[in-house]
Amino acid sequence: MLRVAFLLTGVGIPFPQFSFIHKPRVTSQKRLASHFTFQPDPPPSEFGSTQKMNLFQAVSSAMDNTLANDPTAVIFGEDVAFGGVFRCTVGLRDKYGKDRVFNTPLCEQGIVGFGIGIAATGATAIAEIQFADYIFPAFDQIVNEAAKYRYRSGNMFDCGRLTIRAPWGCVGHGSLYHSQSPEAYFAHTSGLKVVVPRGPVQAKGLLLSCIKDNNPCIFFEPKILYRAAVEQVPVDSYYIPLSQAEVLQEGSDVTLVAWGTQVHVLKEVANMAQEKLGVSCEIIDLKTILPWDIDTVCKSVVKTGRLLISHEAPVTGGFAAEISSTVQEECFLNLEAPIARVCGYDTPFPHIFEPFYIPDKWKCLEAVKKMLNY
Amino acid sequence: FSLNSFFTMQGPVLQQQPFNTPEEKPQFPGASADFVERLEFIQPNVISGIPIYRVMDRQGQILNPAEDPKIPREEVLNFYQKMTLLNTMDRILYESQRQGRISFYMTNYGEEGTHMGSAAALEPTDLVFGQYREAGVLMYRGFPLDLFMAQCYANADDLGKGRQMPVHYGCKDLNFVTISSPLATQLPQAAGAAYALKRENNNRAVICYFGEGAASEGDAHAGFNFAATLECPIIFFCRNNGYAISTPTSEQYRGDGIAARGPGYGIMSIRVDGNDVFAVYNATREARRRAVAENQPFLIEAMTYRIGHHSTSDDSSAYRSVDEVNYWDKQDHPISRLRHYMVSRGWWDEDQERAWRKQSRQHVMEAFERAERRLKPSPDNLFSDVYDENPPLLKKQEQDLFQHIRQYKEHYPLDLYEK
């Protein structure tokens, strides 16, 4: 059946070289439409004047505010000086000087180690890893060093001023090494904070909180939203608290939990579930993976009795497992159906098969349906 | 991209531009070099390597008066007393591990000169990143015996709150960053700290110690390269003692040691006799002066020999000869060399030696006994400092533990811990 679908859509047919010079033999070779629809937050009114920004501009704005207000703050990584491969640092070097916004050699373990050293002196270090997929060379520095610096020294030394930013998540065609969502690897490491925003307003407020926070933070930026997500973002600094999930839509039948881009997928799922099944969904954006907001999620599940967790990362050992297990412990008497996890499969992230790999709205809707019929 | 742009790319790409520079000069952005018309691979020079700088010979005689640092008598006595005090502490703590009184220990035998000579050449405000065999640096800076012992015993006085294995010292007041076990992680960190100090513009430098085995880690490569490209005031100090646990240097590298790698990174480098405290002092002092003035890294490779076992979990006779060890212990030791120097000046004699041995041993034993009698830190230190503030989940786990302990208290060694 899958094979038939391939042939009908034309996806998967080998594309003969230079065939585009002639009349294309297949009708549909355009890149697939995105798997989500970004829904802007209502413009925040409490933080002063706003400006239309996409996600990369919101990230840039957060760093601009930081460099302006904190003379110790520096930004570094691969190719950040000219503005970054995703434009997140455009203009900052010209504005704040080359000793504050600078390129490093191409070496992730070096970038994080260097950032820890800066932070250990009390200065603010904002390190960029070019793709979350390339954070693994720095795994030792993050897990054995950054996360344990304060604890092992009895609080004499810490690297709480360190923030590591990295583009994250699927992007339509990123394949194995430009698509990964490695948050669960870090969720197993006490001492770290791990944060993922769902849009520009969240990105700026959460990034500023990460930078201000006195613990080493990893901030994953959903790169598919860099340009796609546009909304009104406050121009000045503002802070969205870490370790606080947000109920985006109240509901009574089932709780849906996600973070990053997947929040927008679940918003659509909630609409579909309402329309097609008459089901009322409560949507929660977890935002902080570690330490996560157990209370908000459990409170919701106590009310709805059902929980679906969805993430792009593979299911086995994914963070949904942690949420699922905790909710099962805390809400055993309230659960009316097994907790559903709709996640990536336990494979590497594929190139041409991405549409089949990701936990899209149809997979999530089907899970909701099954849960309601349990 | 459009079909038009595809076609227009074709034609002109294959046409060569006329030459506008007459002379044949390489224009590659990646290196500044001339062309050569003969095929020749660059051969590493390992038979006759970078020479080993020394100031005095094995009998403590200054070889070249121009290189004599002319350190005053009191300071030389200070060097000597701290090297021997470290040696005495090593012997007592090593034995205490053998008796099961502490869980682990690593001695500094044979490397006392590298610690004292380099530490003396620094300013007290310079930030130190170490590996684990640099206790002498802390001793030079005045870290009390009681705190060395407190860390090894993980008692309630330990600044690290009893969380790390023995010899993982650290001291904020003495600018000595807490030791961690993963090798070489401190190198890029030290470079980052040096970068931050450069921006503070406070005339401070960073020194970063590591062994020749740790230099094989990827983080060493990262640290050297970052320090050079980002122009950091840092001294990389390598203790090349011939072994990484059982692995001899012939299985660690094939170049001319560690010093020869420095120039490859654009780092000013030198090799010194690590058993010659004055050679170490001179090299470190000059490296520090220039690192701070010029904002550039320096690499010092101190050649020495690891006289003791790697650690208390290692029996080094399984992989090297007793004769080899004896040579360095009896014929070429940093402590005996400095003693020769002092005796030849009339600054030290047998009586003073005997008295100091006795006195230092007594100091160490007193601290040792105090440390052993002291309680361990309260178990609530298990949970603090993971974050700056405990998240709710951790608070709950802490409550769970204490509730559990109350119920099962006879199964836990509570009487050894502070309340």
Side-chain angles (χ1 to χ4, degrees), chain B residues 153-192:
Chain B
Y153 269 97
N155 70 25
D157 297 326
D158 175 21
L159 302 175
K161 306 183 186 173
R163 291 173 182 146
Q164 289 213 82
M165 283 174 74
V167 311
H168 291 56
Y169 310 116
C171 184
K172 181 88 175 166
D173 292 342
L174 298 177
N175 295 300
F176 190 99
V177 179
T178 301
I179 300 295
S180 74
S181 307
L183 288 180
T185 48
Q186 78 276 20
L187 273 84
Q189 292 173 14

Side-chain angles (χ1 to χ4, degrees), chain B residues 310-327:
Chain B
H310 164 69
S311 72
T312 48
S313 307
D314 170 55
D315 173 10
S316 67
S317 67
Y319 50 81
R320 63 182 187 179
S321 74
V322 176
D323 287 349
E324 181 184 303
V325 177
N326 275 341
Y327 168 80

Side-chain angles (χ1 to χ4, degrees), chain B residues 75 78-79 82-84 86-87 89-90 105-122 128 130-141 148 169 176 207 209-211 237-241 272-278 280-281 284 302 304-306 334-335:
Chain B
E75 177 68 344
N78 184 34
F79 284 6
K82 287 191 167 141
M83 284 160 74
T84 47
L86 175 63
N87 189 268
M89 183 179 84
D90 274 349
Y105 195 69
M106 301 178 107
T107 63
N108 301 278
Y109 301 150
E111 300 182 45
E112 298 90 341
T114 62
H115 306 176
M116 238 45 82
S118 57
L122 300 171
V128 180
Q131 179 163 309
Y132 47 62
R133 215 183 294 282
E134 296 91 9
V137 176
L138 264 177
M139 191 155 275
Y140 183 83
R141 289 194 170 191
F148 281 110
Y169 310 116
F176 190 99
I207 191 164
Y209 297 90
F210 55 100
F237 193 105
C238 178
R239 300 173 291 96
N240 188 335
N241 63 19
V272 304
D273 183 342
N275 297 338
D276 177 345
V277 69
F278 297 146
V280 173
Y281 174 85
T284 311
T304 179
Y305 187 84
R306 194 194 79 211
I335 291 178

Side-chain angles (χ1 to χ4, degrees), chain A residues 314-328:
Chain A
V315 61
T316 302
F319 196 66
E322 182 59 41
I323 299 173
S324 168
S325 169
T326 303
V327 169
Q328 186 269 143

Side-chain angles (χ1 to χ4, degrees), chain B residues 18-36:
Chain B
F19 293 110
N20 53 13
T21 45
E23 82 264 39
E24 279 275 288
K25 190 85 180 131
Q27 300 297 318
F28 306 108
S32 166
D34 287 329
F35 284 120
V36 62

